Amino acid sequence: MNYDGGSYDVIVIGAGHAGCEAALAAARMGCRTLMITINLDMVAFMPCNPSIGGPAKGHVVREIDALGGEMGRNIDKTFIQLRMLNTGKGPAVHALRAQADKFLYQHTMKETMEKTANLTLRQGMVEELIVEDGRCAGVVTKTGTVYRSKTVILTTGTYLRGKVIMGELTYESGPNNQQPSVKLSENLRELGFELVRFKTGTPPRVHRDTIDFSKTEIQPGDEKLKFFSYETKSSDNEQLPCWLTYTSADTHQIINDNLHRAPMFTGIIEGTGPRYCPSIEDKIVRFSDKSQHQIFLEPEGKNTSEYYVQGLSTSLPEDVQLAMLRSIPGMEKVEMMRNGYAIEYDAMVPTQLWPSLETKRLPGLFTAGQINGTSGYEEAAGQGIIAGINAARKVQEKEPVVLDRSQGYIGVLIDDLVTKGTNEPYRLLTSRAEYRLLLRHDNADLRLTPIGHEIGLITEARYEAFLDKKARVEQEITRLQETKVKPVQVNEVLAEYGSAPIADGSNLLTLMRRPEVAYSFVDRISPAPVELDEEMKEQVEIQIKYAGYIEKQLLHVEKLQKMEKKKIPEDINYNEIHGLAMEARQKLTKIAPISIGQASRIAGVTPADISILLVYLEHYNRVTAAKG
């Protein structure tokens, strides 16, 4: 007998990083939101690495914050180490990475959610989606409770038909020995969704007191801290170091001697694993010419002795894992606290989604996170906030928010998924973004905070502070252009920067364009009449130094936006368009692109196909207008 659990605007299934952002966004936008999860003790749990950020991923966290999401604020409260990576390279690839106190991260996020208005947390196992009049209208749990809603967001991570694999041992399980979700996966297939089988893995955890750190290299955090959230101005968090060591010849021998027991080589593992985060056994086979691989020892929190062995993801049997660990310098006497394992799970083929992350087959149903074929907490959270925003906007009968590839890494991520699909767990990389000089860590607020404010996730106070920052940066750039200096004023200071003297007068903006001249030069020669914080000064410097490159990318973006503005009607029948190649017809029918821009990015659709499509659309639009 079913029990009525009530009605909501938005129901979020799952409480991982995608679920948290989705539920918070929907609730903060005024929607009555329910989040259902198998275990409330696992809200925002980190089943793999205890860290947030890194190349491309850190950019996503910054973008989530600029839109009004929570991940950046939460890691700023709970980090145990912060490091800005790639500082020796250009600003496009500067990336912040944080080690998290994983338990504090969980508890802090759960507390935030519990205190959020319009948001109800409920423990339960969703087994079925309710479909009425061709749309998703709610869910049914294992206990028979029926929750009705206007929209549903699936953020089930790696739980769908989850199966843990270690050596010859396999058993049904979600991550960290949690219950898997089996019936919901079956229900999705019954509803006609195409699912694929993917795999991910995690390394062993070891006891801190059994590590000989004297044989490893210390990896401390930054002394001068930068944060993920624009709202975080300072922190007194104590930083803990990580430690670097390497695999040895013995490690490689142990692995090679036991490949016959490795599930990925014996055929036990069926799912496709992540290319950019391979297991150690995969690395040893694929890169047999390498004599060693980096291993990072990372603390999992301040109040635990567990260390995460980054770089040693494995599904080898337990006895092999221990032998492997003890062959690594610094871990000769190490005690293993948790085994590494692989986990297989069902994922949605993401080309079944609109760019809003609503499913094409079932209106009202959205999906976000690893169910869409991605890997990583950050990619999940980035999808989560967009799904939450768009589920709320559907309830509010407003147009969805779709970020394009020039607006954010989140836009690149979602466009890649829904346009190209993925045949392996997708990882975001800086190289996937063609406009990465525009999509920097430093300017996420300039790109996205106006959108966050417009949809109601950025407060008036924060928006006013953003507008003030933007105005100060613009005023300072104008001032530097207008401020003329003479050789006698600047040559001595230029010499200190290793920069050539000037023979005639110049403006400060021209001198700032020199690669070796930092904004600190301006502070000495002609300090700003208004106060500028470090973020503002950095923004001034980057905008001046990279102005030419940025302008070129903006011209490309302008061309892209013309293509994106050419919308394709939903009722187009591609089989009626003469001249289109058969592959293009099949791909365009399957993906159903919303614009010429999206159509042009579909694999198998050629420039010739796009030209034919443009001619057809002109005729189609004229006929439609005439019928008017």
Side-chain angles (χ1 to χ4, degrees):
M1 184 173 174
N2 287 348
Y3 164 72
D4 181 8
S7 295
Y8 295 84
D9 294 318
V10 179
I11 292 176
V12 179
I13 303 172
H17 304 283
C20 289
E21 293 295 346
L24 285 169
R28 287 167 174 169
M29 289 171 70
C31 290
R32 192 160 177 259
T33 305
L34 171 69
M35 187 170 79
I36 310 178
T37 183
I38 293 170
N39 185 350
L40 277 174
D41 294 331
M42 305 296 283
V43 170
F45 181 65
M46 294 179 168
C48 198
N49 52 308
S51 63
I52 296 287
K57 294 168 175 281
H59 293 68
V60 169
V61 181
R62 193 81 156 153
E63 290 172 3
I64 292 166
D65 182 73
L67 286 168
E70 196 62 31
M71 181 175 260
R73 282 190 289 245
N74 204 63
I75 187 61
D76 284 350
K77 293 174 190 171
T78 60
F79 73 86
I80 51 177
Q81 187 188 105
L82 279 172
R83 291 184 79 183
M84 183 65 80
L85 308 179
N86 299 328
T87 52
K89 300 177 182 178
V93 292
H94 290 182
L96 190 60
R97 185 177 187 272
Q99 287 298 131
D101 185 321
K102 64 186 288 184
F103 308 105
L104 186 59
Y105 184 94
Q106 273 183 271
H107 297 150
T108 305
M109 184 67 86
K110 183 166 182 273
E111 184 180 13
T112 297
M113 302 189 76
E114 289 169 344
K115 291 180 178 177
T116 297
N118 302 316
L119 179 55
T120 300
L121 274 63
R122 195 67 49 82
Q123 185 163 293
M125 170 85 77
V126 172
E127 294 195 334
E128 185 184 339
L129 301 176
I130 299 170
V131 180
E132 290 177 353
D133 301 323
R135 69 174 188 89
C136 191
V139 303
V140 182
T141 67
K142 190 174 187 174
T143 59
T145 305
V146 175
Y147 298 98
R148 297 196 167 270
S149 65
K150 297 172 184 174
T151 57
V152 172
I153 307 173
L154 276 180
T155 67
T156 50
T158 61
Y159 281 80
L160 289 183
R161 285 204 312 126
K163 182 169 77 171
V164 163
I165 303 162
M166 188 184 1
E168 298 83 11
L169 174 67
T170 66
Y171 56 93
E172 287 190 345
S173 176
N176 209 47
N177 286 326
Q178 295 298 301
Q179 290 183 70
S181 177
V182 177
K183 289 199 175 176
L184 181 57
S185 186
E186 293 169 357
N187 182 231
L188 288 170
R189 288 183 192 277
E190 289 164 5
L191 292 171
F193 286 103
E194 186 184 353
L195 303 180
V196 289
R197 198 75 172 151
F198 279 170
K199 174 206 82 107
T200 188
T202 191
R205 273 64 158 183
V206 299
H207 198 292
R208 174 188 57 211
D209 296 345
T210 62
I211 301 170
D212 182 354
F213 291 108
S214 68
K215 295 182 180 179
T216 66
E217 302 170 33
I218 192 168
Q219 305 284 300
D222 291 343
E223 287 185 23
K224 193 173 182 181
L225 298 181
K226 291 191 175 182
F227 302 101
F228 281 105
S229 175
Y230 285 94
E231 293 186 303
T232 309
K233 301 304 177 187
S234 63
S235 173
D236 57 4
N237 286 17
E238 178 192 353
Q239 294 202 74
L240 300 180
C242 297
W243 306 84
L244 172 63
T245 183
Y246 297 87
T247 57
S248 66
D250 286 346
T251 316
H252 297 208
Q253 190 63 53
I254 291 165
I255 293 168
N256 281 319
D257 288 348
N258 286 279
L259 286 178
H260 63 287
R261 301 176 68 196
M264 66 176 300
F265 295 111
T266 60
I268 293 175
I269 288 178
E270 299 167 12
T272 306
R275 178 191 305 262
Y276 299 103
C277 188
S279 66
I280 187 64
E281 49 268 37
D282 194 18
K283 282 193 272 191
I284 297 304
V285 171
R286 281 167 53 190
F287 308 108
S288 56
D289 56 319
K290 281 201 164 190
S291 60
Q292 59 181 21
H293 294 275
Q294 285 186 330
I295 302 293
F296 290 94
L297 304 176
E298 302 175 347
E300 295 220 319
K302 287 184 180 177
N303 299 311
T304 178
S305 294
E306 287 190 67
Y307 266 62
Y308 179 86
V309 188
Q310 173 77 270
L312 211 74
S313 179
T314 184
S315 58
L316 283 162
E318 185 174 349
D319 59 305
V320 181
Q321 290 189 34
L322 185 58
M324 192 165 61
L325 285 167
R326 289 181 174 175
S327 69
I328 295 170
M331 292 202 284
E332 292 85 354
K333 297 180 180 178
V334 84
E335 291 295 338
M336 183 165 65
M337 296 179 72
R338 301 185 201 226
N339 305 324
Y341 60 87
I343 184 168
E344 282 188 347
Y345 56 96
D346 285 347
M348 180 87 71
V349 173
T351 51
Q352 297 170 105
L353 308 173
W354 298 112
S356 64
L357 296 180
E358 186 175 17
T359 62
K360 297 171 183 175
R361 180 175 290 276
L362 187 57
L365 177 66
F366 294 75
T367 61
Q370 282 186 270
I371 188 176
N372 287 343
T374 56
S375 65
Y377 311 143
E378 303 85 356
E379 289 93 334
Q383 294 169 72
I385 192 170
I386 296 298
I389 289 167
N390 287 331
R393 286 179 73 85
K394 189 174 182 76
V395 169
Q396 296 163 354
E397 299 183 350
K398 295 177 180 176
E399 286 294 306
V401 169
V402 176
L403 301 182
D404 67 40
R405 298 180 72 90
S406 66
Q407 288 178 294
Y409 274 90
I410 295 173
V412 173
L413 163 69
I414 293 174
D415 184 65
D416 277 353
L417 290 172
V418 304
T419 305
K420 302 172 185 175
T422 183
N423 55 13
E424 63 188 39
Y426 176 103
R427 179 178 180 175
L428 199 53
L429 307 165
T430 52
S431 59
R432 296 192 193 272
E434 59 270 46
Y435 304 116
R436 55 186 172 274
L437 189 52
L438 302 179
L439 310 181
R440 306 183 308 273
H441 169 92
D442 62 88
N443 72 345
D445 59 340
L446 296 173
R447 293 183 274 119
L448 299 175
T449 292
I451 296 172
H453 176 253
E454 185 185 341
I455 60 181
L457 289 179
I458 296 290
T459 64
E460 286 301 324
R462 180 169 172 181
Y463 191 58
E464 288 299 322
F466 159 74
L467 292 177
D468 178 64
K469 171 190 172 179
K470 186 180 177 188
R472 286 173 188 248
V473 168
E474 290 169 356
Q475 288 165 13
E476 179 63 356
I477 291 173
T478 302
R479 184 185 78 89
L480 295 180
Q481 190 168 17
E482 295 172 349
T483 303
K484 303 285 194 283
V485 290
K486 298 174 181 177
V488 68
Q489 292 174 274
V490 297
N491 280 350
E492 190 176 326
V493 181
L494 284 173
E496 291 180 29
Y497 283 84
S499 194
I502 57 172
D504 299 307
S506 172
N507 64 38
L508 286 175
L509 186 141
T510 301
L511 295 176
M512 273 290 297
R513 283 190 177 138
R514 296 183 177 190
E516 67 277 7
V517 176
Y519 184 86
S520 55
F521 167 81
V522 172
D523 273 339
R524 292 180 61 181
I525 299 298
S526 175
V530 295
E531 186 181 349
L532 300 178
D533 63 23
E534 289 304 312
E535 274 196 356
M536 294 174 191
K537 291 175 182 179
E538 178 188 44
Q539 195 56 233
V540 169
E541 186 172 328
I542 289 171
Q543 287 193 30
I544 289 173
K545 287 188 184 300
Y546 294 90
Y549 300 104
I550 291 170
E551 196 174 330
K552 282 181 184 175
Q553 291 212 339
L554 287 171
L555 288 172
H556 282 291
V557 169
E558 203 175 318
K559 290 179 185 175
L560 168 78
Q561 286 174 340
K562 285 178 184 174
M563 300 277 274
E564 299 298 333
K565 285 175 184 173
K566 293 183 189 294
K567 298 299 180 185
I568 301 176
E570 283 186 40
D571 59 353
I572 286 284
N573 183 346
Y574 293 101
N575 291 316
E576 291 180 353
I577 304 177
H578 299 297
L580 275 184
M582 183 57 70
E583 183 181 5
R585 290 182 188 186
Q586 292 170 347
K587 296 283 182 67
L588 289 165
T589 301
K590 181 181 179 183
I591 305 297
I594 62 172
S595 68
I596 290 292
Q598 188 186 1
S600 69
R601 294 188 294 275
I602 297 172
V605 176
T606 67
D609 295 320
I610 294 298
S611 297
I612 291 165
L613 186 54
L614 281 167
V615 171
Y616 178 85
L617 281 178
E618 275 189 40
H619 172 72
Y620 178 95
N621 291 333
R622 277 200 303 270
V623 171
T624 305
K627 288 179 180 176

